């Protein structure tokens, strides 16, 4: 008869192939419709522990790229890890909505029409642009299986949000940390506008190369011991020499005086000799510190120029003595700031010299009127002419120079009034913001740990934070200034009143309402005596204050402040992590986060940065259409996110293969426990062995996942699934599962072991493979479901099985046995291991259940040595001798074991099963 029909073969409707690209969208839509995030919150409402990630807002402009996908998927995996480990979780997604990129897009869209539009009308266009892309990105994030409060996401352009950004600014001002002073910025004289970095493009420009000698003051000459010495500076912008305030030296270099009594940095002397500037004969050397705080004399106007030290002075060109005009250069500005040097700005918004030249004595009185109203670029030749004999050498050269992207005219650095948050004012319980922020970091856990060194170093060395911008699309620095005195008003009644107006009308009210309308009733200030400050906030201030608007308000159910975690790319040590920390410390003197996790950037398979020009860009929707979102999610978990993450077609194919192994292992488990009605804990040797292995593996993996070491955890898990579980245990168990009686204790105990492993495995992988586990729950037998309907009902519980078996001898003997089998099959002495039996004198193995040991080696019989055996091979493990022999019995036609007493007869086990049927 055909015994195949008598076997208990696997049964499950869980498909071998996931068909992920076709099936995922419908399930994700179902999650959205059923509000599974609300279900997750309700399921853990009584949890003893809680966790929240505060979302670093992506920018509401353009479609998602692979970096966005990495970031949001990793956040989703971490939030779900805490959820499936039984904690209450919160995740409120958000968007940065203000800022330059959106305003630029709107400007291109409007063209010349913008010139006739009001600020409010332009802002309305920007709001519409951001709204459109928020909806686009929201749908794209949902399509990645990311679960969060998509019904109530935060947006920095919401009216109440803008009000809370403003309230944060007011709190900083009340603490005395907000200061106004001049700072150089990129300035387009052609557009009469400040420019951000993104509005600048670079092109070749011809400029002067000018070497100028400054005489030393008597005290400076005395300090270096040489009379009549001159400090030689080099500049490419002669027009800035009128505003010279200092000469910067490198604090770590040696300076020399040549035979011509000219001072240069010694490392540059050889280059200067080659240019014919000096003979190179040195008469004296000195440390740069000798000149610090002493003076040279500007040959253009006779004003003193202070010698200062700065790390920005490099030895890659020039003379090593840097002409320093703090109003015309960022390095100049910060170097001068440390010495309390005044910023002089003699250039107006059109790039013309103004009356400052006369008021500050920046040019000789007999020629100054000629320069007032002159364009700076037209003044270069006249400046060089005025310098006379002070010019050591002059020539022209071509170099890369910044241009305005709108007007295509060269830009300048020009100091304008800007708002700053002071880093070194002792306003916070007697401490500075810098000190407070550095101390707050000590209570923050960093993943990876090196993150604290990186952000600490940046905070230690950062300048005051310039928070003002001269644009339209942002939250206004909504303060009034007294016209007559220019004093800024920080009256609490006024500030609170404006914030309440913003709550109702949004920040547009600053432009749409008059000063009289913006003042509270009965204000002691008169509207006609006030003027509005027209600047807006740096967009980093917006995102840096989201902890206040989201976590510290009652507007969102986003979890507590401080957040359990902030998670972004490693570049945010300089950006969002830092801006958030500074504002939180400024207002509350503590960090806004308890932990910070950073990930690297996505690169192609060769480790190169992705770009459209290279053609190596991989879009998340393309991955989803070809491989499925689960593969993208598994790629995130399998990658070491602490460094750059490689992605490419070949890499995704490898990940898809790993997914297939996981899915097929789960399918085998489901199929073979489909008829298990109740647990049977009479475990045999192999059941105890696999449960011990599974328990140890899952404990290690869960520990990795709790520490966000997903790559390490998944590699351990995959090794277990393909090795001990599939490669050994499940392979061994096929005989008992298929051939034993349905009610056999041995079969039921193995099914129980499989069920226990399945029940622990599903919630363990659910944070990453949420879709797959949810699909599994549709087809899982009731003994696995245990009354649960979907993946979101699951909670991870470890396998409570501590009686691990020492399998050293079993493993080593099996490895040697397998080597022998390969040779026996190669020599065509056997076709299958079931033709064999193993004999041994090892007491430790003979003491075990002989049927279980035979199953371990997948042979038909196991026992002591027999004198009449047909021995094929033998091997030794330590002191234990093993013999491989042909089985003395016959092949059972039902189970194929060589355990039958005669040819074509059933073995005793199969005979018993058949008779019962």
């Amino acid at each position: 008869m055909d015994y195949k029909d008598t076997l208990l073969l696997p049964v499950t409707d869980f498909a071998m192939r996931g068909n992920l690209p076709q099936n995922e969208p419908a399930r994700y839509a179902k999650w959205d419709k059923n509000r599974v995030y609300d279900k997750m919150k309700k399921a853990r409402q009584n949890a003893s522990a809680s966790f929240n990630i505060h979302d670093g807002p992506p920018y509401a402009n353009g479609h998602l790229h692979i970096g966005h996908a990495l970031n949001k998927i990793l956040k989703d995996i971490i939030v779900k890890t805490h959820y499936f480990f039984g904690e209450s979780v919160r995740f409120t997604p958000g968007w940065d909505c203000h800022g330059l990129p959106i305003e630029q897009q709107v400007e291109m869209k409007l063209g010349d029409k913008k010139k006739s539009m009001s600020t409010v009308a332009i802002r309305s266009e920007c709001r519409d642009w951001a709204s459109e892309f928020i909806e686009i990105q929201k749908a794209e994030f949902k399509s990645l299986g990311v679960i969060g409060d998509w019904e109530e996401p935060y947006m920095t352009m919401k009216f109440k949000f803008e009000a809370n950004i403003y309230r944060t600014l007011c709190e900083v001002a009340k603490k005395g940390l907000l200061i106004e002073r001049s700072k150089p910025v990129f300035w387009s004289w052609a557009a009469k506008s400040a420019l951000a970095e993104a509005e600048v493009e670079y092109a070749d420009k011809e400029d002067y190369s000018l070497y100028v000698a400054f005489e030393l003051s008597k005290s400076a000459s005395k300090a270096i011991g040489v009379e009549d010495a001159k400090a030689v500076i080099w500049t490419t912008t002669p027009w800035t020499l009128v505003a010279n305030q200092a000469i910067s030296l490198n604090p770590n270099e040696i300076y020399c005086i040549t035979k011509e009594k000219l001072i240069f940095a010694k490392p540059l002397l050889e280059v200067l000799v080659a240019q014919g500037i000096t003979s190179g004969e040195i008469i004296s050397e000195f440390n740069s510190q000798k000149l610090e705080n002493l003076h040279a004399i500007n040959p253009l106007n006779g004003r003193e120029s202070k010698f200062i030290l700065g790390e920005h002075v490099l030895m890659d060109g020039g003379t090593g003595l840097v002409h320093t005009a703090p109003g015309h250069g960022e390095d100049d500005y910060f170097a001068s700031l440390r010495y309390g040097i005044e910023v002089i700005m003699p250039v107006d918004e059109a790039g013309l010299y103004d009356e400052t030249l006369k008021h500050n004595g920046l040019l000789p009185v007999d020629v100054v009127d000629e320069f007032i109203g002159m364009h700076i670029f037209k003044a270069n030749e006249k400046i060089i002419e005025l310098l006379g004999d002070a010019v050591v050498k002059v020539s022209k050269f071509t170099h890369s120079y910044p241009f305005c992207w709108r007007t295509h005219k060269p830009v300048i650095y020009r100091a304008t009034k800007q708002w700053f948050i002071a880093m070194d004012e002792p306003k916070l319980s007697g401490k500075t913001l810098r000190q407070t922020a550095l101390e707050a970091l000590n209570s923050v856990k960093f993943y990876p740990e090196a993150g604290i060194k990186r952000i600490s170093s940046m905070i230690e060395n950062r300048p005051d934070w310039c928070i003002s911008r001269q644009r339209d699309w942002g939250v206004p620095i909504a303060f009034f200034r007294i016209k007559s005195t220019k004093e800024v008003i920080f009256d609490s009644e006024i500030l609170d009143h404006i914030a309440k107006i913003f709550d109702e009308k949004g920040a547009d009210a600053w432009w749409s309402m008059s000063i009289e309308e913006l003042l509270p009733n009965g204000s002691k200030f008169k509207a006609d005596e006030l003027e509005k400050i027209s600047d807006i906030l740096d967009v980093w201030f917006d995102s840096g204050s989201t902890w206040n608007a989201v976590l510290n308000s009652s507007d969102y159910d986003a979890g507590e402040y401080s957040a359990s975690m902030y998670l972004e790319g490693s570049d945010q040590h300089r950006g969002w992590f830092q801006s958030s920390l500074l504002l939180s410390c400024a207002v509350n003197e503590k960090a806004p986060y308890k932990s910070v996790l950073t990930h690297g950037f996505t690169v192609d398979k060769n480790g190169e940065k992705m770009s459209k020009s290279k053609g190596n860009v991989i879009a998340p929707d393309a991955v989803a259409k070809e491989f499925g979102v689960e593969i993208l999610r598994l790629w995130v978990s399998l990658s070491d996110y602490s460094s750059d993450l490689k992605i490419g077609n070949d890499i995704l194919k490898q990940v898809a293969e790993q997914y297939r192994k996981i899915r097929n292992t789960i399918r085998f488990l489901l199929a073979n426990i489909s008829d298990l009605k109740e647990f049977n804990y009479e475990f045999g040797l192999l059941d105890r062995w696999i449960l011990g292995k599974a328990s140890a593996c899952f404990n290690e993996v869960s520990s990795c996942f709790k520490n966000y070491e997903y790559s390490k955890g998944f590699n351990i898990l995959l090794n277990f699934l393909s090795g001990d579980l599939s490669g050994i245990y499940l392979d061994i168990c096929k005989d008992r599962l298929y051939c034993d009686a349905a009610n056999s204790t041995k079969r039921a105990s193995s099914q129980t072991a499989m069920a226990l492993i399945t029940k622990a495995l599903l919630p363990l992988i659910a944070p990453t493979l949420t879709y797959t586990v949810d699909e599994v729950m549709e087809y899982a037998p009731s003994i696995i479901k245990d009354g649960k309907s979907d993946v979101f009902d699951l909670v991870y519980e470890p396998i409570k099985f501590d009686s691990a078996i020492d399998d050293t001898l079993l493993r080593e003997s099996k490895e040697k046995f397998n080597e022998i089998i390969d040779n026996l099959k190669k020599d065509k002495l056997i076709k299958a291991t079931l033709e064999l039996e193993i004999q041994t004198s090892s007491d430790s193995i003979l003491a075990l259940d002989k049927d279980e040991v035979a199953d371990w080696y997948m042979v038909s019989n196991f026992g002591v040595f027999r004198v009449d055996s047909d021995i094929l091979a033998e091997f030794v493990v330590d002191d234990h001798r093993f013999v491989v022999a042909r089985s003395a019995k016959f092949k059972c036609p039902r189970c194929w074991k060589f355990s039958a007493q005669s040819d074509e007869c059933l073995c005793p086990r199969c005979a018993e099963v058949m008779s019962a049927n």
Side-chain angles (χ1 to χ4, degrees):
M1 66 178 290
D2 187 353
Y3 288 108
K4 184 180 178 182
D5 296 336
T6 71
L7 301 178
L8 299 171
L9 296 176
V11 177
T12 184
D13 290 328
F14 181 65
M16 182 182 293
R17 296 184 181 277
N19 290 326
L20 299 175
Q22 292 75 34
N23 295 336
E24 284 170 334
R27 189 171 297 270
Y28 292 151
K30 179 183 173 186
W31 290 354
D32 192 37
K33 180 181 178 182
N34 294 344
R35 306 281 290 269
V36 295
Y37 179 71
D38 291 341
K39 176 177 180 173
M40 290 169 69
K41 289 199 296 184
K42 187 175 180 181
R44 302 287 188 268
Q45 58 187 348
N46 297 318
S48 58
S50 62
F51 177 86
N52 67 320
I53 286 181
H54 179 46
D55 192 26
Y59 197 65
N61 188 26
H63 290 270
L64 301 186
H65 54 65
I66 201 71
H68 288 124
L70 161 64
N71 180 266
K72 272 295 197 293
I73 288 173
L74 185 55
K75 286 174 182 172
D76 185 64
I77 289 170
I78 289 176
V79 168
K80 286 176 181 170
T81 296
H82 285 270
Y83 176 77
F84 287 112
F85 279 104
E87 296 179 37
S88 170
V89 296
R90 294 291 185 275
F91 181 61
T92 298
W95 276 273
D96 244 340
C97 306
H98 299 123
L100 180 66
I102 289 173
E103 194 169 343
Q104 284 179 330
Q105 294 292 337
V106 168
E107 283 179 350
M108 285 190 282
K109 173 187 167 185
L110 295 174
D112 291 339
K113 183 181 174 184
K114 184 198 172 193
K115 295 176 183 176
S116 61
M117 293 174 66
S118 68
T119 299
V120 172
I122 294 167
R123 287 171 60 85
S124 177
E125 291 283 343
C126 292
R127 190 177 296 277
D128 289 345
W129 184 280
S131 296
E132 178 184 349
F133 277 101
I134 285 171
E135 291 307 309
I136 289 170
Q137 291 185 2
K138 185 193 294 186
E140 291 173 339
F141 280 133
K142 287 181 182 180
S143 74
L144 298 174
V146 176
I147 294 173
D149 194 355
W150 296 112
E151 299 299 317
E152 287 295 331
Y154 77 82
M155 305 171 201
T156 58
M157 66 180 183
K158 284 184 176 179
F159 290 174
K160 291 188 75 174
F161 210 107
E162 290 181 327
N164 283 327
I165 293 170
Y166 176 67
R167 287 187 175 100
T168 306
L169 174 67
C170 294
E171 288 299 313
V172 173
K174 289 174 185 176
K175 292 287 178 75
L177 293 172
L178 198 61
I179 55 177
E180 188 182 22
R181 65 167 180 262
S182 291
K183 177 186 182 294
V185 294
F186 278 127
W187 187 268
S188 172
W189 50 266
K192 298 181 180 179
S193 170
L195 303 179
E197 290 274 359
E199 297 172 291
V200 172
E201 56 191 16
Y202 286 81
D204 285 343
K205 179 178 183 289
E206 186 181 62
D207 271 319
Y208 282 96
S209 171
L210 177 67
Y211 293 84
V212 182
F214 282 50
E215 293 182 0
L216 266 59
S217 66
K218 289 183 179 179
S219 56
S221 294
K222 185 177 180 180
I224 61 173
V226 177
E227 289 186 12
D228 302 326
K230 297 179 181 179
V232 181
I233 63 92
W234 175 71
T235 183
T236 61
T237 54
W239 61 269
T240 63
L241 286 169
V242 298
N244 173 273
Q245 290 283 75
I247 295 174
S248 298
L249 310 178
N250 187 298
N252 306 310
E253 297 292 346
I254 297 295
Y255 284 77
C256 63
I257 306 170
T258 66
K259 183 180 179 181
E260 301 88 0
K261 292 192 177 182
L262 300 178
I263 300 172
F264 305 103
K266 190 176 179 182
L268 289 166
L269 196 58
E270 189 177 329
V271 176
L272 295 166
V273 170
Q275 292 185 44
I277 292 173
T278 173
S279 66
E281 184 178 340
I282 297 174
I283 63 172
S284 180
E285 296 181 5
F286 63 91
N287 291 323
S288 56
Q289 285 85 351
K290 282 199 172 183
L291 283 177
E292 186 178 15
N293 290 316
L294 300 177
H295 296 90
I297 308 301
N298 188 337
L300 198 58
N301 51 31
R303 289 167 52 89
E304 287 189 334
S305 182
K306 182 182 282 191
F307 285 108
I308 63 176
L309 305 181
E311 297 284 351
H312 68 287
V313 180
L314 304 177
M315 297 295 116
D316 58 356
T319 65
L321 296 91
V322 174
H323 150 55
T324 301
H328 291 300
E330 195 162 21
D331 286 336
D332 295 19
Y333 169 76
F334 288 122
S336 299
L337 191 62
R338 288 195 294 273
Y339 287 84
I341 295 172
E342 179 190 4
V343 175
I344 294 176
M345 176 41 56
V347 180
D348 70 11
E349 62 180 8
L352 310 177
Y353 283 128
D354 63 18
E355 294 284 342
T356 307
L357 291 179
K358 185 179 288 187
H359 297 324
N360 289 66
L362 303 185
L363 283 172
V365 292
D366 58 331
V367 298
V368 67
D369 289 336
E370 178 187 348
F371 281 85
I372 295 172
M374 181 186 293
H375 195 282
I376 51 173
F377 289 162
K378 292 180 180 178
N380 282 325
E381 289 81 5
K382 292 185 179 294
I383 294 290
I384 294 170
E385 185 181 333
L386 280 176
L387 287 168
D389 293 342
V391 175
V392 177
K393 183 180 180 181
V394 62
S395 59
K396 285 191 173 184
F397 77 118
T398 300
H399 64 145
S400 180
Y401 191 88
F403 281 70
C404 171
W405 75 283
R406 291 183 188 84
T407 63
H408 306 295
K409 299 291 185 183
V411 303
I412 60 173
Y413 260 113
R414 176 175 178 267
T416 58
K417 283 279 189 179
Q418 303 291 341
W419 289 91
F420 296 82
I421 294 177
M423 293 297 297
D424 297 307
E425 293 289 330
K427 302 288 187 179
L428 304 171
S429 303
K431 295 179 181 178
T432 67
L433 178 55
R434 194 185 309 277
Q435 291 170 323
T436 305
L438 288 170
E439 288 177 12
L441 289 174
N442 292 328
S443 62
V444 179
K445 172 78 172 172
F446 280 83
Y447 304 91
E449 291 181 0
I452 189 170
K453 292 181 181 177
R454 187 173 183 193
I455 191 171
S456 295
S457 174
M458 291 175 175
I459 289 172
E460 284 170 357
N461 298 298
R462 69 159 294 140
D464 293 343
W465 179 8
C466 180
I467 61 166
S468 52
R469 297 291 183 270
Q470 292 70 49
R471 306 292 307 177
D472 293 325
W473 181 226
V475 175
I477 298 178
F479 300 138
F480 294 122
R481 197 192 300 274
I482 297 174
K483 288 180 184 178
S484 58
T485 64
K486 302 302 180 183
E487 177 190 351
V488 179
I489 298 169
F490 294 128
D491 180 79
S492 292
E493 186 183 19
I494 292 177
L495 301 182
D496 292 344
H497 182 68
I498 291 171
K500 287 175 182 175
I501 291 173
F502 287 1
D503 276 330
E504 296 178 12
K505 301 175 184 286
D508 287 359
W510 187 246
W511 290 274
S512 65
M513 296 174 68
S514 67
I515 294 176
E516 189 172 11
E517 291 171 317
L518 288 165
L519 287 172
N521 292 330
S523 174
K524 60 185 177 184
F525 295 94
K526 295 180 180 178
D528 60 356
E529 295 177 351
L530 304 178
E531 62 186 9
K532 296 177 184 178
I533 288 173
S534 59
D535 299 334
I536 63 168
L537 284 167
D538 172 17
V539 74
W540 285 111
F541 191 102
D542 285 21
S543 57
S545 62
T546 54
W547 57 267
N548 199 16
V550 178
L551 304 177
N552 214 27
S553 71
S554 57
D555 298 337
Y556 301 90
D557 182 14
E560 65 179 10
Y561 162 78
S562 299
S564 305
M565 177 178 283
Y566 273 36
L567 187 167
E568 298 301 326
S570 55
D571 57 331
Q572 295 308 318
H573 288 114
R574 185 177 299 281
W576 189 56
F577 299 148
Q578 195 174 146
S579 63
S580 300
L581 176 70
L582 293 179
L583 291 180
S584 182
C585 286
V587 176
N588 295 322
E589 298 181 27
K590 70 173 188 175
Y593 36 68
K594 295 172 186 171
S595 68
V596 168
L597 187 147
T598 54
H599 59 76
F601 300 103
T602 52
V603 294
D604 71 11
K605 63 180 181 179
N606 299 315
E608 294 185 12
K609 185 179 179 181
M610 293 185 187
S611 69
K612 290 180 180 177
S613 61
K614 289 181 181 177
N616 62 350
V617 173
I618 295 176
D621 61 336
V623 176
K625 287 173 184 173
E626 183 173 354
F627 294 95
V629 172
E630 288 290 80
I631 306 307
L632 190 58
R633 293 176 65 89
L634 186 57
W635 166 76
V636 172
S637 281
L638 286 172
S639 301
D640 178 7
Y641 59 74
S642 64
S643 57
D644 287 348
L645 292 82
K646 292 182 179 180
I647 189 168
N649 229 45
D650 291 341
I651 293 170
L652 290 167
K653 284 177 182 177
Q654 293 170 13
V655 174
E657 180 59 23
Q658 299 285 47
Y659 174 78
R660 188 190 64 79
K661 289 177 182 176
I662 295 170
R663 185 179 181 94
N664 286 348
T665 300
I666 293 172
R667 184 173 184 273
F668 185 93
L669 291 167
L670 294 182
N672 284 284
I673 57 177
S674 59
D675 61 342
L676 182 65
K677 303 303 180 200
E678 58 181 345
F679 291 122
N680 186 311
Y681 298 101
E682 299 178 46
F683 298 124
L685 169 69
L686 294 177
D687 302 330
R688 297 197 307 276
W689 172 78
I690 196 61
L691 286 170
K693 290 291 182 183
S695 177
C697 171
F698 289 3
N699 287 342
E700 190 175 1
V701 171
S702 63
S703 177
C704 288
F705 287 178
K706 286 177 183 177
N707 287 301
Y708 317 121
E709 296 175 318
Y710 293 102
S711 177
K712 179 180 176 182
F714 259 102
N715 277 300
I716 293 168
L717 183 62
L718 284 163
N719 286 336
F720 167 74
L721 294 180
S722 61
D724 290 338
L725 185 61
S726 297
I728 298 177
Y729 182 73
L730 297 182
D731 201 25
I732 289 170
C733 285
K734 288 175 184 176
D735 174 72
R736 65 187 65 177
L737 292 169
Y738 303 168
C739 301
D740 274 13
N743 60 355
S744 123
T745 299
K746 192 174 181 180
R747 181 175 186 270
S749 65
S750 288
Q751 285 181 303
T752 298
M754 292 181 195
L756 293 174
I757 290 169
T758 304
K759 290 188 73 171
L761 175 64
L762 294 179
L764 191 60
I765 62 173
T768 298
L769 301 176
T770 319
Y771 166 90
T772 300
V773 177
D774 197 41
E775 184 188 357
V776 167
M777 290 297 287
E778 283 189 15
Y779 300 104
S782 58
I783 201 158
I784 296 296
K785 287 185 176 180
D786 195 22
K788 300 172 177 66
S789 62
D790 59 37
V791 62
F792 303 104
D793 291 330
L794 298 178
V795 181
Y796 175 74
E797 293 181 10
I799 298 173
K800 296 173 182 175
F801 194 87
D802 300 324
S803 57
I805 291 171
D806 183 359
D807 63 351
T808 306
L809 181 56
L810 286 168
R811 272 191 175 279
E812 291 181 2
S813 60
K814 188 177 177 70
E815 286 174 10
K816 290 206 172 185
F817 172 67
N818 287 341
E819 291 174 10
I820 289 170
I821 292 305
D822 289 341
N823 290 326
L824 292 177
K825 287 181 177 178
K826 194 182 297 181
D827 295 339
K828 298 185 178 179
L829 293 173
I830 64 166
K831 292 181 179 178
T833 57
L834 288 177
E835 299 172 33
L836 304 173
E837 62 180 49
I838 291 182
Q839 302 162 12
T840 187
S841 60
S842 172
D843 292 338
S844 57
I845 292 189
L846 287 169
L848 302 174
D849 184 300
K850 292 180 177 54
D851 289 340
E852 293 275 288
V853 176
D855 285 347
W856 171 258
Y857 297 108
M858 297 185 73
V859 297
S860 291
N861 297 289
F862 174 82
V864 298
F865 295 129
R866 287 190 299 105
V867 294
D868 57 342
S869 299
D870 181 4
I871 297 174
L872 298 176
E874 61 180 270
F875 60 92
V876 176
V877 178
D878 295 331
D879 297 331
H880 306 276
R881 179 168 169 258
F882 295 83
V883 163
V884 180
R886 291 189 191 278
S887 176
K889 296 185 179 179
F890 296 89
K891 182 178 181 180
C892 172
R894 182 171 180 270
C895 70
W896 297 359
K897 277 190 174 183
F898 281 68
S899 303
Q901 295 300 322
S902 60
D903 198 19
E904 293 302 317
C905 287
L906 295 175
C907 66
R909 186 264 309 264
C910 289
E912 184 179 346
V913 172
M914 292 301 294
S915 64
N917 293 338

